[in-house]
Amino acid sequence: MLRITISAVGLWRCIPAFVTETGKLNALTSRLEAILNRVIRDSGAQALAHLHNLEGKVIAVRIQGLEVTGYAVVENEGIHIIDKPEQTPDVTVAGSPGDLMSFGRLGADPELFRGGSVRIEGDAQSMLDIKALFSAIDFDPEEQLAQVLGDLSLIHISEPTRRTPISY
């Protein structure tokens, strides 16, 4: 089994109304972890193959505007959220909350990268594997995050993705 590990460091700044103590943060990150695992698993063999290619790699996700960074390491075919990685990230994915949700929904759409809305930096092979993984999964971030945070909390995050059409 393969796992992606994402850090909860700074997550409390994203959603202060929902996280008031460590136990709630752990419950929130556990739900997010379960959702990501299910989405990848349900997306099929191609998604799992791309995930497998990231085995042992540390991934940073930087949410611009909120100045929050999370970390992920792929191991044991799943996602496990941690507070701090043991090694320097091999790849960093950065963007605003709306742009990262677009990346989750659209995958490696060239428009997201051409305009600099989403940036991926680091090890070249890991960058390609992250792009391939997100292109292979069937992920609606708004729907999935609503299960964790509730519908109303996503209005401000998702609004920019609805107003900004992406041309192909």
Side-chain angles (χ1 to χ4, degrees), residues 4 8 11 24 34-36 85 119 125 135 138 150 156 159 166:
I4 292 180
L11 184 59
K24 289 183 181 180
I35 287 169
L36 293 172
R119 295 181 57 197
Q125 187 60 52
S135 293
D138 182 18
H156 297 294
E159 188 62 29
I166 296 178

Side-chain angles (χ1 to χ4, degrees), residues 14-81:
C14 286
I15 47 175
F18 300 97
V19 180
T20 58
E21 58 191 64
T22 303
K24 289 183 181 180
L25 178 60
N26 290 339
L28 181 69
T29 56
S30 293
R31 288 201 62 198
L32 180 59
E33 189 175 288
I35 287 169
L36 293 172
N37 281 323
R38 183 178 35 98
V39 166
I40 293 169
R41 185 178 54 250
D42 292 350
S43 294
Q46 186 178 15
L48 287 171
H50 293 304
L51 184 67
H52 182 74
N53 290 341
L54 291 165
E55 176 73 25
K57 301 293 183 180
V58 174
I59 302 159
V61 178
R62 187 173 40 239
I63 304 173
Q64 297 171 335
L66 299 175
E67 308 315 319
V68 173
T69 301
Y71 301 94
V73 62
V74 178
E75 57 187 23
N76 301 324
E77 292 183 10
I79 296 174
H80 177 67
I81 297 176

